[in-house]
Amino acid sequence: GHESYITFCHLENEAAFTCSADHTIRKWDVMTGQCLAIYRGHTSIVNRILVAKDYLFSGSYDRTARCWSVDKEKQIQEFRGHRNCVLTLAHYSSRDVLEEEEEEEEEEEEKVSRDLLVTGSTDCTVKVWWVSSGRCYQTLLGHTGAVLCLILDAPNRELFSGSTDYTIRTWNIVTGEQLKVFKEHQGSVICLELVNRHLYSGSADRTVKCWLVDTGERIQTYKAHKHSVSTLKYHAGILFTGSGDACARAFNSKSGVLQKIFRGHKFIINCIQVHNELLYTASHDGTLRIWDIRGICKRNKRRLKKERSAQGRSSQKGSLSRLFNNKVGCMVQQENGE
C-alpha cells in the first residue's frame, strides 16, 4: 500500500504500524495483511514512529513531530520548534519521574495529561514536549552533531542520547541538566540499549561498547563488525547486533566473545527483535529473517550455571551470614542475566 520505501516498523498487539518516505503512516492487521488505517499530514519522509497507550507519535523530515489518535486516524497534536528533521522519539509520563510536590508546580493545563514526548533532531538538540498542549517543556543543549538515538530510564530520571558528534550524553529528564558525556567512540553513535544500569552503544566505528551508567566507566568493547553497527538487542546474557555488513552477530555480553554470525541478508540490518528464543532480523534488502537461537541460549545458560557452581565451591566456608551473602551475590548475577 505504501508508495515508497518503509523507514520504520512498530508492532503493537495484533497490529503493525509502518512509516514511509511517502509521507504517511499505516496500520496493518498482522494476521491478514489488511491495511486498517492511514495517517496523513506530514509533508516529508516520516522517519520514526512510537505507539504509547492510545497515542501514535511520529517524527519527520518536515521538522515536526506529531501525535495521532490510533483509533480515529486523526492528528491530535503537532510539535513544532526543531530547526531540522526529527530522527528519534521517546515517551514517558511525568508521574514516572516527578515527586508529588513537583507535580503540584505543573501548570494547570498540563495536569490534564502528564504525558511527555522526547524528540532528537539533526539540529543537534533534544526537546521535551507536553503532549496535551504541544508546548516545548525544555530543550537539551550540548551535542554538536545530529541526535540519532534516545533511550529513557524514567525511574532514575535519566535520558541517554547518541549523536554524530561521537558522544553519548546523559541528562536529568526533570531539570534538563547534562550529567555525563561518554567519549570513547570514534564514529557516530547510532543505537543504544540499556539493561540493568549497563548501557550498550553501537557506532559507525564498527564497535559496540558497554558502559557502567553510574560511573561512566567503559567495561567492554565488542569487535568483529565490518561496517557500522546499526541496531542492538540484549537477551539473556547475549548481545545481538545488526550491521551494515549485512550480518547479525551474537556476543557473550560479559566476556565480549563472539558466539555466532548470522549470514543471509544482502544489505544493512536495521532492526532486531528476540521472541521465544527466535531472533528476528529486518533488512534494507526487503526481507525479514527468523533464526533459531535455542542452541546459543542453552549454551549460555549452562555456562552461567557452571560459573555459579564454581563461585559456590570457591567461596569461603564459615558463618551463616557469610554463606547468605554469597547466595545474594549469585541472585544478583542471575537477575542481570550475566
Side-chain angles (χ1 to χ4, degrees), residues 189-209:
V189 180
I190 298 169
C191 49
L192 294 170
E193 178 85 326
L194 182 65
V195 183
N196 296 324
R197 305 298 285 167
H198 287 67
L199 181 69
Y200 300 89
S201 55
S203 170
D205 67 10
R206 306 183 181 188
T207 71
V208 177
K209 294 185 186 294

Side-chain angles (χ1 to χ4, degrees), residues 129-157:
W129 314 79
W130 289 108
V131 171
S132 57
S133 65
R135 185 171 67 87
C136 183
Y137 168 58
Q138 58 189 5
T139 300
L140 310 181
L141 301 171
H143 281 297
T144 57
V147 179
L148 302 182
C149 49
L150 295 169
I151 196 160
L152 265 166
D153 183 359
N156 289 293
R157 301 175 159 209

Side-chain angles (χ1 to χ4, degrees), residues 298-314:
K298 278 178 187 171
R299 285 200 301 275
N300 212 50
K301 284 173 185 171
R302 282 199 299 269
R303 183 185 58 77
L304 285 169
K305 279 183 182 175
K306 281 181 185 175
E307 283 182 6
R308 282 197 288 271
S309 64
Q311 284 171 353
R313 285 194 300 273
S314 63

Side-chain angles (χ1 to χ4, degrees), residues 185 202-208 222-229 243:
H185 277 298
S203 170
D205 67 10
R206 306 183 181 188
T207 71
V208 177
Y222 308 84
K223 300 176 181 178
H225 308 93
K226 296 181 174 64
H227 207 285
S228 301
V229 179
S243 172

Side-chain angles (χ1 to χ4, degrees), residues 4-9 19-21 45-48 61 190 227-231 242-248 264-272 280-289:
S4 189
Y5 62 89
I6 291 167
T7 53
F8 196 74
C9 176
C19 55
S20 167
I45 296 168
V46 185
N47 298 307
R48 191 59 58 96
Y61 268 90
I190 298 169
H227 207 285
S228 301
V229 179
S230 46
T231 183
S243 172
D245 63 16
C247 294
H265 282 294
K266 303 285 193 293
F267 204 48
I268 182 171
I269 295 169
N270 51 35
C271 185
I272 282 179
Y280 295 78
T281 57
S283 166
H284 271 35
D285 66 14
T287 68
L288 171 71
R289 291 175 183 259

